[in-house]
Amino acid sequence: MIEGHNYIGGEVSAKGVTIFSTFDPKTNKETGWQFYEATKTEIDDAVRLAEEAFKTYKHFSGKRKAEFLRAIAGEIEALGDELIDVYVKESGLPVGRAMGERGRTIGQLRAFATLLEEGSWVEATIDTAIPHREPLPKVDIRKMLFPIGPIAVFGASNFPLAFSTAGGDTASALAAGCPVIVKSHPLHAGTGELVAGAIATAARKTEMPKGVFSNLNSRGIEVGKHLVMHPKVKGVGFTGSMNGGMALYKLAAARKEPIPVFAEMGSVNPVVVLPSALEENGAEWASKYAGSIMLGAGQFCTNPGLILGIKGSSLDEFITTLGTEISKLEPNCMLHPNIHENYEKGKKEIVEQNGVRVVSQNNGSVAPNHGRQAVLTVDGANFLNNPKLHQEVFGPFSMVVQCETAQELTQVLHALEGQLTGTLLGNTADLRKYEEVVEALKGRVGRIIFNGVPTGVEVCPAMHHGGPFPATTDSRFTSVGESAIKRWVRPISFQGWPQELLPEELKNENPLGIMRNVNGTYSKQEI
Amino acid sequence: MIEGHNYIGGEVSAKGVTIFSTFDPKTNKETGWQFYEATKTEIDDAVRLAEEAFKTYKHFSGKRKAEFLRAIAGEIEALGDELIDVYVKESGLPVGRAMGERGRTIGQLRAFATLLEEGSWVEATIDTAIPHREPLPKVDIRKMLFPIGPIAVFGASNFPLAFSTAGGDTASALAAGCPVIVKSHPLHAGTGELVAGAIATAARKTEMPKGVFSNLNSRGIEVGKHLVMHPKVKGVGFTGSMNGGMALYKLAAARKEPIPVFAEMGSVNPVVVLPSALEENGAEWASKYAGSIMLGAGQFCTNPGLILGIKGSSLDEFITTLGTEISKLEPNCMLHPNIHENYEKGKKEIVEQNGVRVVSQNNGSVAPNHGRQAVLTVDGANFLNNPKLHQEVFGPFSMVVQCETAQELTQVLHALEGQLTGTLLGNTADLRKYEEVVEALKGRVGRIIFNGVPTGVEVCPAMHHGGPFPATTDSRFTSVGESAIKRWVRPISFQGWPQELLPEELKNENPLGIMRNVNGTYSKQEI
């Protein structure tokens, strides 16, 4: 049952007077659940408890933290249908998506547990002493990664589970050894409350310090601001809009002690349809992309919002087929009336731009908050001259840019801002032939895909879900996959430290059997 | 011979009208060499050429980049005595130091070459496809690190070679595959010119693209500002003052596309003398620390500026011996009259603070610009109440804080800002007994030393020369040692990419024989 309270260090708390409800976009009505916005005292308590918990939690072994993560996964599973029902009600997303996202959430918690059990992620690096080196002796130095402290996580509107309360940011921070304070997303505060309860139960069952996790409700921006400015908070994870992400980034940079903000702020995910793809299987790709654009009502950060090709009859056919195929699909419900309204507004603004032609636009009457798909087209010169056309329209929308030549296409890619993904469709011969196009795309993205769709982000060690600014605020780090743990740690070197007091990871005998860099060579051997 | 020109993409250039000289602090006179400050056109040319060079340089194999780095080392060696003479004249530092620093500079260029030849540093990570996985097939994803683009490097005043023109920042950026534009330090522009010439020669001999390196002279802040704001510059390395570092950090964060600034901004490097050290070998430590404080006229970023102990007769003895030993040492020449003046001013300001007592202060007459050593002492309560006492005094200076109890000592450590290093002197039993002290120190530093001095920063894979803010702007990265290369790269994932077009590092057969993470397991095997 949804109670509307916050979780402060494992205890329920509802001291505030600001109350808000969540919204069911399908029925177009409030859910009726009432949430208590966290007060300053509650926020400060959450941070104080996190700071206190950090003193012990940072020393916990990988095995012990893994037990906690596995317990969270188990407790989320144990929430059963209630979680799915609340998720669907608060998001307007279908049951299948809810179940898929729950699977992903549980899967990534377990993936981090496996990473911790294996243990090599700490990048243990050992340089042994050379006492008789000339002109100066070499001292013994050993380095590994350590957690940085309490982390603030901002839930994402478009992934109520996998990028929210117990999503990738929380899982990776807890795995790193950092307590987490979640600023729950107001659109799905009920989903967040259920998951927060599951984490609190898991923490109790596995005897974690109570401040290891807190969950704060809030309707507006004040709770998040207070949290990011709190001197004891040492890092921030965020997935959402450019405005939201940049506001947090600037706040954090202006602190007396600046802290890292890992904001993933969306992307238009350019797709280049090379001539071979158009000639060999253009219709097939058009149909696949119609589906990818419509997936989750176009509310994925990897939604293909921009498709690029070289002018000609094959591209014309592709565009026509894409328009026909997408028009056959049923519009889906978007997350919230505001998001739906922004989508309609953004779409209209692009349609009105100079040189833009509508290929396919659903103007029919639909159920409330359903996102009506649109495919537009424009030529390369118009696109290059109009930065408005480079912006993301969050929803089931895509624009095909028709370039005169491969040179113009390359120019368009260079003119784009940083992106999460870039895709190339074609055959291997074309990849070689259009090397400059490939290089230009590689320079703008975090993940480059050959003959696929950008939607669908695998949780695995090789995943990089990040990209040059403004796709993210720090292109060196990913928010999906095991490497996401690297955001919440920093190296510390131990010089001349006594063997028996070194962390297990750095001891000569390598008791954990992890991979280490010893005197420049990778090895699991003892020293 | 010193000509005073800039190097723009390997060519000498002197288009400016602003001219400045360097200064010999020993003779207290200008060196007479005239330097032409780089013009906006010259800066823009350097960046344009760097951007152009990046297109090819980023694709060069590790072996080829290693040849370039080894050639630079060779050309610096070939400069012979002229380099040593100019270094000594512009810095006031002794010949032995000049030769030692040259050795370090050459050594670290070769260490990066070795790293590139080995090749595993790119963190190749491979997840192979599982086409029949349920409910969805798993795609093939492969990730490694790629260079980010042209890097601006700011030379440091206190290391004319090892942290300047061909220092750690330049060596690591070139190793990563990034062209470098150095903003030469105005105090040793002649040394910078000679080294820049060596790099230009090495680039020519190893057939590097001409924009791979440029060296810009400047007296003030304008050249550096223009460089950091240039949209094609993608990262910044800096070693110097808090004011300088924070100015660059803020400029870079306010850009349309914010870029990372790795600023190393100094530190007081707290040293905790545990009771066992005082009792067992206090006099020996006092004598060693007198030397460490005086090293290089106290102008190391790892200078021990703060010594902490628990009140008692053993600490009194230690303080007395430290004072006596340091008074026996000869003052050394500082880098520049301004630096010397700031030192005398900073020292005076601290002496005048409430509760501060002078243990030893050299008030004798000395040659121009020589830094007269001082050891002061204060009790824990006064230190805690006065943030002025926490600030670095750049020079041969240290302050001993006498704490009432271990609790107060811990409190002092918690009150300190982030530091590059922290040191503990004592025996292993004390390390166990004072666990809270150790933990507090570990939380504030990038490198923690047992029974040693913080001065002397080994160049090796396990070195972390970095630390929590304000020691550096990003505690996750080091500016010394092989890991410094990680500042100039970002991961890119390849999804479903054809084998033959993957980078060598990611191909199934592992042609480079590097260590890789394959489906979660570390291995050099082919797939």
Side-chain angles (χ1 to χ4, degrees), chain B residues 47 64 128 167 186 257 335 379 384:
Chain B
V47 179
R64 191 145 177 221
T128 54
E257 178 197 356
L335 294 158
D379 64 26
L384 280 167

Side-chain angles (χ1 to χ4, degrees), chain A residues 299-320:
Chain A
Q299 299 166 121
F300 286 118
C301 39
T302 52
N303 197 59
L306 193 68
I307 299 171
L308 311 162
I310 299 166
K311 269 187 189 165
S313 58
S314 310
L315 184 60
D316 292 341
E317 268 175 57
F318 172 86
I319 295 171
T320 308

